[in-house]
Amino acid sequence: MAAHWFETLTGPLSQKKQYRQDKARIDALPEPYGSVAKGMHRYITYFAGVTDGDTLVTMFGELADLWERASLDATPVRDIVGDDPVGFAETFAQAYAGKQWIDKERARFVATVDSAERVSSGSSDGEDAGPDDAGDARRP
């Protein structure tokens, strides 16, 4: 029962265990794969903004798979990432359509624009106009 409240706050312990295992796989890669995989891991952690634990665990597990396979096959790093490593990393991360931290702000911004549009439409024909509209910024 004690683990239940803790997992509610921090996420499932199984996800953390899997993440640590995948991170250890990346850390164990030989060079140059290890440094590129670590750099890509760091970049997509910042870029992706994924907040869903299951999605993160899947993404980082498949990142480890990718670089382990490249290492085993002795595939040159540039054959994997191409001429645009950032584009490769971003495309890789975007393939994981999990919930992102920015989703909430996108929805908030859309709602703000919709609300402003409703107020603007209502004020122009006299509807919804009230004492709070006295300081309307559209006036010169």
Side-chain angles (χ1 to χ4, degrees):
M1 193 65 142
H4 178 65
W5 72 265
F6 182 76
E7 288 184 0
T8 300
L9 294 174
T10 64
L13 296 175
S14 61
Q15 289 177 347
K16 288 173 183 27
K17 181 179 178 183
Q18 184 61 51
Y19 173 81
R20 283 191 300 270
Q21 289 172 345
D22 293 335
K23 184 73 170 90
R25 291 170 52 206
I26 290 170
D27 291 342
L29 288 166
E31 291 303 325
Y33 307 99
S35 60
V36 175
K38 288 173 198 166
M40 187 171 166
H41 181 276
R42 179 180 170 86
Y43 183 78
I44 63 178
T45 298
Y46 285 100
F47 170 78
V50 176
T51 59
D52 175 56
D54 289 333
T55 301
L56 281 172
V57 168
T58 299
M59 180 170 54
F60 290 132
E62 291 180 8
L63 177 71
D65 292 345
L66 169 73
W67 291 107
E68 282 176 340
R69 182 84 262 158
S71 171
L72 289 172
D73 294 343
T75 305
V77 169
R78 283 287 179 183
D79 285 359
I80 303 294
V81 300
D83 293 332
D84 182 11
V86 170
F88 175 79
E90 290 178 1
T91 300
F92 180 90
Q94 288 170 349
Y96 298 87
K99 198 175 217 181
Q100 298 181 336
W101 65 268
I102 197 68
D103 294 341
K104 180 179 174 182
E105 292 307 316
R106 285 181 180 137
R108 181 179 286 164
F109 180 52
V110 169
T112 299
V113 171
D114 290 347
S115 177
E117 184 178 41
R118 281 191 303 276
V119 169
S120 176
S121 296
S123 295
S124 64
D125 62 8
E127 292 179 21
D128 294 326
D132 292 334
D133 294 333
D136 195 335
R138 290 177 288 169
R139 283 201 245 156

